[in-house]
Amino acid sequence: MVRVVILGQGYVGSIFALGVERIKAGELGYYGIPLQNELPIKVENIEIVGSYDVDKSKIGKSLYEVVKNYWDGEIPETLKNVTIRKGIHLRSLRNLSIEAEGLEDEMTLKEAVEKLVEEWKELDADVIVNVCTTEAFVPFGNKEELIKAIENNEKERLTATQVYAYAAALYAKERGGAAFVNAIPTLIANDPAFVELAKESNLVIFGDDGATGATPLTADILSHLAQRNRYVRDIAQFNIGGNTDFLALTDKERNKSKEFTKSSVVKDILGYDAPHYIKPTGFLEPLGDKKFIAMHIEYVSFNGAVDELVVTGRINDSPALAGLLVDLVRLGKMAVERKEFGTVYEVNAFYMKNPGPKEKCNIPRIIAHEKMRMWAGLKPRWL
């Protein structure tokens, strides 16, 4: 059994919970889950035991009621057993038409962390999954500065994700082991402060920023071109969507966070920094969760020939990430059992846009896939 707590009960968190329960009820197969049911911990072994949000309209409701906001079909009755608890926002919902209410509104950050740790102990969580709204953030770099910011209640310096990750470390230390999956751009697996703290605290960190749509596809295409020694002249890749995260990304600082994790793939794969424009570009509400992606790559081939690739598509944003989370929570439990505390590059390299730790880089996804399978104790598919 792997007991999971969700931080941020929005579209991704709701589709993740819904899909897991539908699989357990025999309503769905394993499409969209990279490792399907190959791991020793089965999909059916996942149990959602807790959920947190800062949207006042969600706090206190059952997960069943919240999932209704994102799904028109039948919803498993089992989701009535989980109640949405109050989390931490630290300005993460600013400029959005959502009334935010967080623990930090009624207590210090240190007290909020202590409350979270006690609640997670009560829930006996194995894995804590962070799918909060994209934040503007500044990394810490060293553990002492992070601890000082918490102790001094520096609410303007910290983000919700940073506080959650710190709380997860304290919880893991008391419990003897836990995992934190960071599926958003805030640097956790790439921040030495958190990696050092995790190693000391029996915490496994996976991160940063789940790779689901255009970014892993761009990485695959760039790998294809690099392997054939074709020189990439320029890259344009953008997404437009209509969900809350795309609305949040209309904020310049949040967009910068996302742009960084999406753009890191270019130099990592090619070995040079080709001129590129890779970022979420806009919000268009009628598109909903099914984002529009477009990509244009211009490159030089033999005898100076200049070719172009143009790709467009519509991708359901939240289910794409939710399917990865099904693997990540199970791999997180496995990493804890192996005592591989800190961060695990073999997992991050396949599932994340900006794989930690900081000194590592993106690699072709087909290689990352095989390395991940071998780390998980599975037979490689193509090597």
Side-chain angles (χ1 to χ4, degrees):
M1 188 68 68
V2 53
R3 298 170 65 82
V4 178
V5 165
I6 300 170
L7 305 176
Q9 199 56 60
Y11 216 132
V12 176
S14 295
I15 296 300
F16 167 65
L18 172 68
V20 166
E21 293 305 309
R22 291 185 69 202
I23 287 172
K24 288 159 74 172
E27 297 176 18
L28 285 179
Y30 303 112
Y31 291 121
I33 304 170
L35 295 179
Q36 306 173 62
N37 228 10
E38 297 179 77
L39 295 173
I41 302 173
K42 303 305 179 186
V43 177
E44 290 80 2
N45 297 142
I46 298 172
E47 185 180 357
I48 313 296
V49 296
S51 172
Y52 289 77
D53 207 282
V54 292
D55 182 341
K56 191 174 180 180
S57 69
K58 295 178 182 177
I59 298 166
K61 290 185 176 178
S62 71
L63 188 45
Y64 179 92
E65 291 175 275
V66 172
V67 169
K68 283 182 181 178
N69 297 330
Y70 307 100
W71 183 253
D72 294 330
E74 279 196 40
I75 300 171
E77 297 279 321
T78 49
L79 294 179
K80 290 182 177 179
N81 300 328
V82 179
T83 300
I84 312 300
R85 301 179 187 227
K86 187 184 298 185
I88 293 170
H89 63 84
L90 290 175
R91 312 167 313 285
S92 61
L93 296 182
R94 73 179 189 279
N95 303 330
L96 299 178
S97 57
I98 297 171
E99 187 176 356
E101 187 176 281
L103 294 173
E104 76 273 24
D105 298 329
E106 55 198 56
M107 61 185 75
T108 67
L109 290 176
K110 184 178 179 182
E111 290 168 337
V113 166
E114 290 169 353
K115 181 174 174 59
L116 289 171
V117 170
E118 288 305 310
E119 290 180 354
W120 295 344
K121 284 163 67 176
E122 171 196 327
L123 296 169
D124 192 26
D126 294 303
V127 182
I128 298 158
V129 176
N130 181 47
V131 281
C132 295
T133 302
T134 301
E135 309 161 324
F137 69 93
V138 177
F140 277 89
N142 73 75
K143 181 186 66 175
E144 290 70 29
E145 287 298 314
L146 168 63
I147 295 170
K148 182 181 174 183
I150 297 283
E151 295 285 339
N152 292 342
N153 202 38
E154 295 180 24
K155 295 180 181 179
E156 295 301 316
R157 170 67 179 89
L158 289 147
T159 69
T161 296
Q162 290 169 334
V163 175
Y164 281 137
Y166 177 78
L170 298 192
Y171 167 68
K173 191 169 187 177
E174 288 197 29
R175 184 177 185 260
F180 184 84
V181 177
N182 181 42
I184 75 167
T186 304
L187 298 187
I188 301 297
N190 281 280
D191 188 337
F194 287 99
V195 176
E196 182 186 351
L197 186 64
K199 288 177 180 176
E200 296 174 358
S201 306
N202 303 326
L203 179 69
V204 172
I205 297 172
F206 291 157
D208 297 307
D209 199 10
T212 57
T215 303
L217 180 58
T218 301
D220 287 343
I221 292 172
L222 293 180
S223 300
H224 171 89
L225 297 174
Q227 288 159 5
R228 287 154 182 79
N229 194 30
R230 292 167 181 166
Y231 179 75
V232 176
R233 293 173 58 170
D234 54 79
I235 306 159
Q237 181 220 298
F238 62 86
N239 303 339
I240 300 173
N243 61 25
T244 302
D245 203 45
F246 274 93
L247 178 58
L249 288 168
T250 58
D251 177 87
K252 184 178 178 181
E253 291 305 311
R254 289 197 190 98
N255 197 292
K256 193 181 294 182
S257 302
K258 196 75 169 179
E259 181 184 353
F260 174 78
T261 60
K262 291 172 76 68
S263 296
S264 62
V265 68
V266 177
K267 190 172 183 180
D268 288 349
I269 297 292
L270 294 178
Y272 55 93
D273 200 10
H276 61 273
Y277 179 96
I278 301 178
K279 64 171 70 176
T281 310
F283 172 75
L284 184 62
E285 190 172 8
L287 292 179
D289 193 57
K290 196 171 183 179
K291 63 186 177 184
F292 170 75
I293 66 164
M295 185 192 316
H296 174 269
I297 301 176
E298 188 178 36
Y299 62 91
V300 180
S301 188
F302 183 68
N303 198 40
V306 177
D307 298 330
E308 299 174 53
L309 293 173
V310 179
V311 179
T312 62
R314 295 286 305 279
I315 296 175
N316 286 284
D317 198 30
S318 298
L321 179 53
L324 302 190
L325 296 179
V326 176
D327 276 353
L328 286 164
V329 298
R330 296 182 294 156
L331 293 169
K333 177 73 179 286
M334 289 172 60
V336 172
E337 290 173 345
R338 295 180 183 184
K339 301 187 184 302
E340 293 194 29
F341 304 124
T343 194
V344 182
Y345 176 69
E346 290 84 354
V347 173
N348 298 337
F350 178 70
Y351 291 98
M352 301 294 170
K353 291 186 182 79
N354 188 20
K358 184 180 180 181
E359 60 272 15
K360 294 289 189 176
C361 62
N362 278 283
I363 57 176
R365 283 302 192 274
I366 189 169
I367 297 173
H369 179 265
E370 300 299 81
K371 286 179 175 289
M372 177 271 294
R373 287 184 63 88
M374 289 188 283
W375 178 88
L378 301 174
K379 184 180 177 181
R381 291 187 66 178
W382 294 296
L383 289 182

